[in-house]
Amino acid sequence: PAPAPPPAPASDAAFKGDELTTYYRKQNMLPPSTPVTVTAVTDSPVPGLKSGTLQVGVSPQIEEVGFVASPDGRYVVFQELIDVTVDPGVAVMKKIDLEGVQWKGPADAPVTIIEYSDFQCPFCSRGYNVIEKEVLPAYPGKVRFAYKHLPLPFHNWAEPAAIAMECIRKQDPEAAWKVYDKLFEQQGSITLETVKEKAVEFGGSTNLDRAAYDRCYDGKETAALVQAHKAEAASLGITGTPSFVVNGRLIIGAQPGAQFKAVIDDELS
């Protein structure tokens, strides 16, 4: 007799039933009220496998969990499928909004450093010194640097300082870099009550429309940008300051210049 045909692979409908979601719910001890939905089931880049996504929770706090599965859905790995021929730093950099960013260094520099920091954080002041006095001077023309805000909730003037800097940047970008310098260099002399005026003093702009600045600061017109920076940091898994992304590679904390140089030299090579 002719051999029996091999069993047909399960259709995508198999991934929309209860078995996969029930297992995931029990594995992670999720309550019955938490939605778990299978979506985006496709043929995996690995021949013979399926891949898809579990959506866990409700908007706006949906967590997406990638999975790779056997065709019948019986065996599953809950993990994103990774192509090791693709530079992981590229994926990290895609999460960073570089539109409208003000740079130090040439736009075509081979190494990009993005800092997420807090003007009131003493460790961030150390990080500032390392970047400005050691790292950037050592790589003229080879590194571009941008600063983004991650004010911590227990620092009472850090977010107002970020708002003030961005209000000044709207009028005079070069003055904003002076504000950045002085906020770190004179960190100990700043308070919640003085930060608004200190930012104006530090910027020293002769082009500043004071009424427009007051409206911007008092109305928190740049607070949404600061919040966007915070959300972006969270998407990268960054929770502490200072934190740096160097061509997609994370450096956490006020590390010595040698650690930055090791990463930069590796990228340049």
Side-chain angles (χ1 to χ4, degrees), residues 14-269:
F15 289 93
K16 298 172 184 175
D18 294 335
E19 194 168 294
L20 179 59
T21 56
T22 297
Y23 180 88
Y24 185 85
R25 189 188 302 281
K26 288 183 177 180
Q27 182 191 44
N28 293 276
M29 295 180 286
L30 299 177
S33 59
T34 302
V36 181
T37 307
V38 177
T39 63
V41 177
T42 61
D43 290 328
S44 169
V46 180
L49 298 181
K50 294 284 188 179
S51 62
T53 302
L54 286 183
Q55 291 189 336
V56 183
V58 296
S59 180
Q61 296 181 325
I62 293 178
E63 178 187 6
E64 294 194 339
V65 180
F67 67 82
V68 180
S70 59
D72 60 2
R74 179 176 180 179
Y75 298 101
V76 178
V77 177
F78 293 113
Q79 188 67 44
E80 178 185 2
L81 188 66
I82 296 174
D83 182 348
V84 296
T85 67
V86 177
D87 185 345
V90 172
V92 173
M93 292 302 295
K94 285 182 178 179
K95 296 180 180 181
I96 300 175
D97 183 4
L98 302 180
E99 188 70 27
V101 167
Q102 185 181 3
W103 297 103
K104 283 190 174 185
D108 60 351
V111 175
T112 294
I113 300 176
I114 308 290
E115 178 179 6
Y116 297 86
S117 194
D118 172 314
F119 287 122
Q120 195 174 348
C121 160
F123 297 102
C124 299
S125 180
R126 294 185 202 171
Y128 162 82
N129 284 320
V130 169
I131 290 293
E132 294 296 330
K133 297 177 182 178
E134 297 183 48
V135 176
L136 296 182
Y139 296 94
K142 296 180 180 180
V143 172
R144 63 175 183 168
F145 169 80
Y147 181 89
K148 293 200 172 193
H149 305 286
L150 185 54
L152 302 176
F154 48 85
H155 287 155
N156 66 345
W157 61 260
E159 187 161 324
I163 290 170
M165 176 186 171
E166 294 303 333
C167 284
I168 288 176
R169 193 198 301 275
K170 287 172 67 174
Q171 297 193 45
D172 189 338
E174 290 308 312
W177 279 124
K178 296 178 183 178
V179 176
Y180 152 85
D181 289 334
K182 294 298 183 181
L183 285 170
F184 283 125
E185 292 170 358
Q186 299 189 29
Q187 194 178 71
S189 69
I190 303 165
T191 66
L192 177 61
E193 293 71 29
T194 65
V195 66
K196 176 183 176 183
E197 295 302 321
K198 286 286 190 182
V200 174
E201 174 190 331
F202 293 159
S205 175
T206 58
N207 302 316
L208 187 70
D209 180 334
R210 181 55 196 254
Y213 170 77
D214 287 345
R215 285 195 303 272
C216 182
Y217 181 87
D218 296 337
K220 298 183 178 180
E221 293 178 6
T222 57
L225 176 62
V226 175
Q227 293 303 315
H229 288 184
K230 292 168 68 174
E232 184 176 279
S235 76
L236 298 169
I238 293 172
T239 58
T241 58
S243 293
F244 306 83
V245 180
V246 183
N247 277 12
R249 298 163 70 168
L250 293 180
I251 296 179
I252 306 298
Q255 301 297 333
Q259 184 156 339
F260 286 92
K261 291 176 180 178
V263 174
I264 293 170
D265 289 344
D266 189 47
E267 288 296 312
L268 292 174
S269 68

